[in-house]
Amino acid sequence: MIREARADQAQSLAAIQRDASLAGYAHIFPPELYPYPTGVVARRWEEFLADDEITVLVAEEDGVAAGVAACRTEWLDALYVLPHWWKRGVGRALHDDVLARQRAGGCQRCHLWVLEDNDRARRFYERLGWVENGSSRVVPFPPKPIDVGYSITL
């Protein structure tokens, strides 16, 4: 089941992002070299939840939060799934819900950023029709990897 997040869920959403990031980004941000920025991530979710322009969605499986996504007009800003739920349709369900909301809001395209070396996520988005759009940016966390821009026509 996918529902909108409650205002008091920032810490649990940050925990989902932490667990997904530690499992999925260890080759980019080795935890022994780069401690996970717990406080920064928790504040980001607090800001998302407080922002009327951002919709935060939670995927629940067996009554427990298994994944989270955040979106705003023409942007998928975050999509994280607990590793236990990878390859079980949770990420796809969140993704599809976000794009359905984008279409319902009149958007004709949507954009996102993904770490250049995050092959798993890049394959996921590419399978769903996303294409690189030629944009890139430096991520502000050491070792300062590159984010690659993707877009999809809705």
Side-chain angles (χ1 to χ4, degrees):
M1 172 182 92
I2 296 178
R3 62 168 175 79
E4 290 195 20
R6 295 185 313 270
D8 66 347
Q9 287 192 281
Q11 293 300 318
S12 64
L13 304 180
I16 291 170
Q17 180 176 343
R18 178 199 62 225
D19 291 355
S21 296
L22 289 174
Y25 301 161
H27 65 290
I28 301 167
F29 300 104
E32 66 276 7
L33 298 177
Y34 307 105
Y36 189 78
T38 303
V40 171
V41 171
R43 280 189 297 281
R44 179 179 183 227
W45 286 106
E46 289 168 357
E47 291 168 5
F48 278 176
L49 290 166
D51 189 331
D52 291 337
E53 301 293 317
I54 297 176
T55 300
V56 178
L57 303 171
V58 176
E60 289 184 340
E61 295 292 334
D62 301 331
V64 176
V68 61
C71 62
R72 58 191 157 97
T73 302
E74 291 196 358
W75 281 91
L76 170 56
D77 291 305
L79 195 158
Y80 295 95
V81 175
L82 290 171
H84 172 75
W85 291 101
W86 288 359
K87 294 187 177 185
R88 296 173 72 183
V90 174
R92 174 68 185 261
L94 283 163
H95 170 272
D96 291 354
D97 195 298
V98 166
L99 293 192
R101 288 169 185 263
Q102 296 285 331
R103 285 184 196 98
C107 296
Q108 296 188 8
R109 72 190 121 317
C110 191
H111 313 282
L112 61 80
W113 294 105
V114 64
L115 288 166
E116 182 177 44
D117 293 330
N118 187 352
D119 295 330
R120 177 187 186 84
R122 292 180 72 171
R123 284 190 307 270
F124 171 79
Y125 292 118
E126 289 169 5
R127 275 194 313 272
L128 296 174
W130 293 80
V131 295
E132 284 187 62
N133 61 26
S135 60
S136 65
R137 66 182 185 181
V138 176
V139 175
F141 296 102
K144 301 217 183 234
I146 302 295
D147 262 342
V148 182
Y150 275 76
S151 298
I152 191 169
T153 300
L154 303 174

